[in-house]
Amino acid sequence: MNRRFGMSRGTALVVTALAAIVASTLPGSASASAETGGTGGSDHWGVIARNTMGSPVAALRKGPFGTFGVQGPLAAPPYGAGSLGIEVADHATSLADPAEKIDFGNEVDFYNKPVLDLNKLGFHVFQTGENVEYGGAKNLPTIRLEIDANLNDPTTDDYTTLTWVPDALPVTNQWSGYIDATTSGYWFLAGAEGTATGCTISAATPCTFAQVKAALDDGGDAPKILTVAVGKGRDHLWAGAVDGLRINDTIYDFEANGVRALRAN
């Protein structure tokens, strides 16, 4: 059969070895990783329909490269050649025209994983000057984790969303460096869980990552992850991209043909 296709067994082995070498030399301090142990394959990543309002866009794409005049490492996605492009519209004008919101995430592979085991979170973002004009330097995507908080407080239930809001990012028209969600920005819990822990979106002193983990560790059953997503809305118009979503020791590289799980070095 090898002769029929014009390739000897020895040549095929050499080609396979070269492919393995290329796959192991990925940019951005990460290496190729087999997608095992429920760390997520591209089949389980996509728009979470029930968390989507209006007609926003979250699509795997090539680039962005640039903008024009921008050169060097910040002119291209930090991993591979693609990213997750996100577009949402502005504030609502009426109940019939709600502000847009979208989550692109994974509802399968992180289910029932311990929230308190999270220790590395963050991503890279492509920010534009127009986005800053629309909503200021804090107009950025977020990381959202639907969780079962398992708090002892009887006023809470088994569902809330744990959200990370990045610090202001004045960098425009290029890719940012890695934004560490465990050391920057703030975290809040939606609904009664936010009230019970003091980690609300309107808190005078927003919760750090360490503080929200401590608040969830209240002596009851361990909080569990339900879903993981990158999202935007419902606030300001935004058009840009995200890449290199890190969750513990795995980096999720968004490419036009799917999502690759890379092992962080």
Side-chain angles (χ1 to χ4, degrees):
M1 184 176 291
N2 285 334
R3 290 181 180 177
R4 180 182 176 187
F5 288 96
M7 181 181 292
S8 69
R9 187 171 186 273
T11 302
L13 289 173
V14 171
V15 170
T16 301
L18 288 173
I21 292 171
V22 170
S24 66
T25 55
L26 297 168
S29 186
S31 59
S33 169
E35 294 171 353
T36 59
T39 54
S42 60
D43 287 347
H44 294 155
W45 289 87
V47 172
I48 300 179
R50 57 189 172 75
N51 290 343
T52 298
M53 297 184 65
S55 54
V57 174
L60 298 172
R61 53 158 294 175
K62 286 286 186 72
F65 302 101
T67 308
F68 61 88
V70 177
Q71 299 179 349
L74 299 184
Y79 300 94
S83 65
L84 172 65
I86 298 175
E87 298 176 16
V88 294
D90 209 342
H91 278 294
T93 56
S94 68
L95 291 177
D97 180 25
E100 292 188 346
K101 173 183 179 292
I102 195 163
D103 279 354
F104 182 96
N106 190 316
E107 300 184 79
V108 177
D109 296 309
F110 302 95
Y111 180 68
N112 268 343
K113 302 292 184 184
V115 174
L116 300 181
D117 282 357
L118 294 171
N119 53 64
K120 302 284 187 183
L121 289 162
F123 55 41
H124 301 250
V125 63
F126 187 88
Q127 177 71 309
T128 71
E130 286 77 6
N131 290 334
V132 175
E133 291 176 7
Y134 298 144
K138 290 186 176 181
N139 185 21
L140 293 162
T142 61
I143 294 175
R144 297 185 178 123
L145 293 86
E146 293 177 290
I147 69 170
D148 178 354
N150 274 328
L151 294 175
N152 281 327
D153 191 314
T155 66
T156 63
D157 55 25
D158 295 330
Y159 175 84
T160 185
T161 301
L162 173 61
T163 301
W164 170 62
V165 179
D167 283 334
L169 181 67
V171 174
T172 56
N173 304 323
Q174 62 186 22
W175 283 96
S176 73
Y178 176 68
I179 307 173
D180 191 338
T182 68
T183 61
S184 65
Y186 67 92
W187 292 82
F188 70 90
L189 291 157
E193 286 76 11
T195 302
T197 59
C199 295
T200 66
I201 191 171
S202 59
T205 305
C207 285
T208 65
F209 182 65
Q211 288 170 335
V212 76
K213 283 182 69 175
L216 289 168
D217 189 13
D218 67 349
D221 292 339
K224 301 292 186 180
I225 298 171
L226 304 176
T227 70
V228 171
V230 174
K232 189 69 179 86
R234 296 176 288 177
D235 47 17
H236 304 288
L237 187 153
W238 196 85
V242 169
D243 196 23
L245 171 65
R246 180 165 184 173
I247 302 174
N248 287 348
D249 292 331
T250 302
I251 294 171
Y252 294 94
D253 170 26
F254 299 124
E255 294 295 327
N257 61 349
V259 180
R260 299 189 303 169
L262 311 177
R263 183 177 295 114
N265 291 335

